[in-house]
Amino acid sequence: MKGVILAGGSGTRLKPMTRFLNKHLLPVGPYPMIHYAISKMAEAGICDILLVTGKHSGGLFIDYIGSGQEWNVRMSFKVQEEPGGIAQALSLAEDFVNPGEKFVVLLGDNLFEDSLTEEFARFREQPEQARVFLKEVEDPRRYGVPVMDDSRIVRIEEKPELPKSSFCVTGIYMYDAGVFDIIRTIRPSARGEMEITEVNNKYAARGMLSYGILNGWWIDAGTHLSFREAAQRMAGEATP
């Protein structure tokens, strides 16, 4: 399979640190945040990786990552001209993925402990069309929350006041190439972005959205508090 890492956005919640630097280039422990997403894909045997980022930081990513030789992968780069949501950024990968091919998507600010090697291999061989990964959290109201039925997700509710489970949807996704047809059917949300939750709900409505559960730690390093926790994790320090 191929891999896509989404590393755009404005990093609003991490300002002022992100005023002049893309958040995925901020140091988390010994490496920039983006280092870990590439490492997770390389660990799982994914050798062709596309990174999508904003135009203001593209050169810095290329300076750090280069061709991908450090990870023994082949890197490609695409520029998202303006922030337009995760689904819009993902649409830029269409010419990177061959028809009928399956691929993996990571949000670059999601840091996690689990190896996904077996999950990637299984998805490649199975007829599933879409798969997301869940993590049990203390306050699921902050996230997209799945409504589950056995091995499938019925729908995902975004930031619900009364969550139907204690799990959230993380920024780890697997799709077949049909996802690009689905993206073409959605429209920007009230906040002006093309939402990945809507894409996933299209799969869920067809009974085609399966899930896996992360057992180790997982951090969405998009706030000052979670960013500090991620740095402590990656530095091998004990967290509070």
Side-chain angles (χ1 to χ4, degrees):
M1 289 196 298
K2 292 178 179 175
V4 177
I5 300 173
L6 304 182
S10 56
T12 303
R13 295 177 297 167
L14 280 173
K15 287 184 177 178
M17 293 192 297
T18 53
R19 187 172 295 168
F20 303 109
L21 187 65
N22 183 294
K23 68 178 175 181
H24 304 90
L25 291 168
L26 294 172
V28 178
Y31 299 107
M33 192 185 300
I34 194 62
H35 187 103
Y36 302 104
I38 301 171
S39 295
K40 282 294 183 182
M41 287 196 172
E43 174 190 60
I46 294 176
C47 297
D48 287 299
I49 301 173
L50 172 68
L51 185 138
V52 180
T53 189
K55 61 184 178 182
H56 299 296
S57 301
L60 295 175
F61 279 104
I62 293 173
D63 285 345
Y64 181 73
I65 299 169
S67 67
Q69 182 177 356
E70 179 179 348
W71 296 267
N72 198 29
V73 302
R74 293 180 293 272
M75 291 295 305
S76 303
F77 300 87
K78 276 286 186 76
V79 171
Q80 184 182 24
E81 290 289 339
E82 300 290 343
I86 294 171
Q88 195 273 335
L90 178 56
S91 71
L92 299 177
E94 184 167 10
D95 62 1
F96 174 72
V97 178
N98 296 322
E101 196 169 39
K102 292 182 175 180
F103 66 106
V104 182
V105 181
L106 296 183
L107 302 189
D109 58 359
N110 275 226
L111 304 173
F112 52 94
E113 180 179 10
D114 292 37
S115 169
L116 298 178
T117 303
E118 293 183 6
E119 288 280 1
F120 289 177
R122 191 190 69 79
F123 183 73
R124 184 177 59 242
E125 301 300 329
Q126 296 298 313
E128 297 173 316
Q129 294 181 320
R131 187 171 179 84
V132 298
F133 288 82
L134 312 179
K135 178 64 182 174
E136 193 165 17
V137 293
E138 291 184 2
D139 187 6
R141 293 174 301 174
R142 297 171 48 203
Y143 306 98
V145 176
V147 179
M148 294 175 282
D149 178 16
D150 195 24
S151 63
R152 304 289 169 189
I153 294 177
V154 177
R155 66 183 179 279
I156 298 169
E157 298 177 343
E158 194 64 31
K159 297 181 176 63
E161 283 298 318
L162 298 173
K164 292 182 172 60
S165 78
S166 59
F167 289 90
C168 75
V169 178
T170 69
I172 307 168
Y173 315 104
M174 299 181 188
Y175 298 111
D176 64 2
V179 70
F180 302 111
D181 292 327
I182 290 179
I183 291 174
R184 277 188 281 274
T185 70
I186 69 172
R187 296 292 177 264
S189 65
R191 62 176 185 164
E193 296 191 355
M194 295 173 67
E195 308 289 353
I196 198 66
T197 295
E198 186 173 352
V199 172
N200 290 331
N201 276 334
K202 294 275 189 180
Y203 279 108
R206 301 174 185 177
M208 296 177 178
L209 184 62
S210 64
Y211 66 88
I213 295 177
L214 299 180
N215 295 310
W217 59 263
W218 165 81
I219 300 171
D220 172 7
T223 68
H224 288 278
L225 183 61
S226 62
F227 183 85
R228 183 179 68 179
E229 181 185 354
Q232 291 172 329
R233 290 280 188 186
M234 294 307 182
E237 300 173 8
T239 55

